Amino acid sequence: MFWAAVGVGMLINTVGGMVGGGPSRASMQRTHEQSMRSLRATLQDTSKLITSRQQPQVQSRFSFDFEPPPFPQKNFDNLQQMQQGHAAQRQAQTDAMKQQLAQMKDKFFAENHYETGEGPDGKPQVLTGQDGRPQVAKGPETPQQKLIREEFEGGKRQQLAETQDNQKDAFLHKEKQDVQKFLAQNQNNLTNPQIQAELTRMMLDTQKRAFGLQQQHEDERWKVDLPPSEEIAAVVEADLADLHQMESEQAAKEEQSPDMLALMQHEQDVAVLLGEQKQVAQIQKQEENFLMNPRKVLTAETPPVDLGEVLPSYLSNSLYNMGIYTV
């Protein structure tokens, strides 16, 4: 699957968005592009690392014989073009939604206004009911009432942004703790394919939950400053449902495309080769250290293990993005 190579950190980074104005789904496109660029950069770095190992400055009795398969550039370009087209479609739909929402709000406040009164600080403010919703009165909104209303809406958006930031922090903290606990419990068996499969499942579940949180937050930003109108709320709900349907269809088309499958096959091939070389490198390092000072090696405490040395690249990259580097 595509998400196996994306990296949870990149997906989590899409949770949020702009505080002011209507939300944008363009971050999802940037996520795809950043992920693929990161994958390609990782493979290029690997090739450079192998080249440097083949020309060591210090003589070693061990050597590496490994060259990554050529990067499928044409597939990458095709997929990127598809994703850019999808992003343009989403942007066009969200722009139309923003325009429609602005028109509905203008019409609403041409006929109604929020009641205002003096706040605790002596400044005029929007009056709200026990449910926190603004109190609506008949009659067109005056310029002064509009300024007070816009300040009220800005405060609502700021409150929502702070709430969502706290939710994102709590989400990432819990997910990180769960992964660290699993790694600690299996630290001596991380090369086991079954353990790696379970870790992959955990990362995929985290990414799905992160995507759900992102979508929830974006929907909340659309609704945070809506006037209390059932008609407007119904239109926004229908528009969001259409947008979600478009996103689902686009994601399925991207994940099932021949170009995506070719990129994933390439990533899997590289992961297998890297895994083999990492195991060889780890054994060689242990043997060299033992030859240098066997007594010290036998008595020394076990140092932290770099996860990049024992896990496939797509897993270690995801863990690095979560701030987890060793176990």
Side-chain angles (χ1 to χ4, degrees), residues 7-18:
V8 66
M10 294 183 179
L11 184 58
I12 290 176
N13 286 337
T14 67
V15 182
M18 297 181 63

Side-chain angles (χ1 to χ4, degrees), residues 37 41 53 93 106 118 121 128 180-181 203 216 224 249 284 312 321:
R37 284 197 297 269
R53 286 186 177 276
Q93 183 154 337
D106 288 344
E118 186 176 294
D121 56 1
T128 58
Q180 287 177 318
K181 181 179 179 181
M203 301 304 289
Q216 171 193 323
V224 64
E249 292 174 354
Q284 292 176 355
N321 287 326

Side-chain angles (χ1 to χ4, degrees), residues 5-292:
V6 167
V8 66
M10 294 183 179
L11 184 58
I12 290 176
N13 286 337
T14 67
V15 182
M18 297 181 63
V19 173
S24 170
R25 296 296 176 117
S27 60
M28 297 175 63
Q29 167 65 15
R30 291 194 296 272
T31 298
H32 286 301
E33 295 174 359
Q34 290 170 356
S35 301
M36 300 312 300
R37 284 197 297 269
S38 175
L39 173 58
R40 188 180 180 190
T42 298
L43 299 176
Q44 291 173 341
D45 291 343
T46 300
S47 180
K48 293 177 182 178
L49 175 62
I50 297 305
T51 301
S52 66
R53 286 186 177 276
Q54 290 173 341
Q55 300 174 348
Q57 296 180 354
V58 179
Q59 186 65 29
S60 171
R61 63 190 185 88
F62 301 106
S63 63
F64 290 86
D65 183 17
F66 166 59
E67 181 65 28
F71 184 77
Q73 183 64 45
K74 181 62 176 176
N75 297 113
F76 175 83
D77 293 340
N78 291 342
L79 182 63
Q80 190 174 48
Q81 184 176 5
M82 178 191 294
Q83 292 172 340
Q84 289 172 347
H86 287 169
Q89 292 174 7
R90 292 194 299 270
Q91 189 62 51
Q93 183 154 337
T94 55
D95 288 345
M97 290 170 60
K98 291 177 186 178
Q99 183 177 5
Q100 178 182 238
L101 178 57
Q103 292 173 348
M104 290 190 297
K105 289 184 69 173
D106 288 344
K107 180 181 178 182
F108 180 88
F109 289 110
E111 302 171 354
N112 307 279
H113 65 273
Y114 289 164
E115 292 186 352
T116 60
E118 186 176 294
D121 56 1
K123 296 181 180 180
Q125 66 176 27
V126 170
L127 298 179
T128 58
Q130 294 182 348
D131 57 0
R133 291 161 64 88
Q135 298 180 7
V136 179
K138 289 293 184 182
E141 184 179 60
T142 66
Q144 182 180 8
Q145 290 170 337
K146 181 177 181 180
L147 289 175
I148 298 172
R149 189 249 304 171
E150 289 178 341
E151 183 177 358
F152 170 78
E153 291 174 342
K156 296 284 285 185
R157 290 193 294 268
Q158 181 62 34
Q159 290 177 1
L160 177 64
E162 293 173 357
T163 298
Q164 290 181 344
D165 284 343
N166 292 333
Q167 290 175 342
K168 288 184 290 184
D169 290 343
F171 169 83
L172 183 54
H173 179 72
K174 182 181 183 304
E175 298 294 326
K176 183 176 179 179
Q177 278 190 326
D178 291 344
V179 172
Q180 287 177 318
K181 181 179 179 181
F182 177 83
L183 292 172
Q185 292 173 341
N186 298 278
Q187 59 182 333
N188 296 324
N189 202 24
L190 292 178
T191 57
N192 186 315
Q194 292 182 342
I195 298 300
Q196 292 182 2
E198 178 62 19
L199 182 59
T200 299
R201 185 196 63 77
M202 291 180 65
M203 301 304 289
L204 289 175
D205 287 345
T206 291
Q207 291 162 354
K208 291 176 183 178
R209 287 191 290 270
F211 183 79
L213 183 61
Q214 170 190 284
Q215 195 169 73
Q216 171 193 323
H217 283 180
E218 291 187 352
D219 287 357
E220 289 172 349
R221 287 193 291 275
W222 275 104
K223 302 173 185 178
V224 64
D225 57 0
L226 293 182
S229 163
E230 294 183 0
E231 179 183 357
I232 294 177
V235 171
V236 171
E237 287 285 358
D239 286 345
L240 288 175
D242 291 342
L243 184 61
H244 296 336
Q245 179 66 26
M246 171 187 285
E247 291 168 350
S248 297
E249 292 174 354
Q250 289 178 345
K253 186 175 181 180
E254 291 174 11
E255 291 180 15
Q256 297 169 10
S257 70
D259 296 304
M260 177 66 79
L261 296 177
L263 285 166
M264 291 304 97
Q265 184 61 53
H266 177 265
E267 199 278 339
Q268 291 173 8
D269 292 343
V270 171
V272 170
L273 293 173
L274 282 176
E276 294 173 352
Q277 292 300 315
K278 287 175 181 178
Q279 291 181 358
V280 171
Q282 190 175 21
I283 294 173
Q284 292 176 355
K285 183 178 180 180
Q286 292 172 351
E287 291 178 351
E288 286 182 337
N289 289 339
F290 182 81
L291 291 173
M292 291 172 58

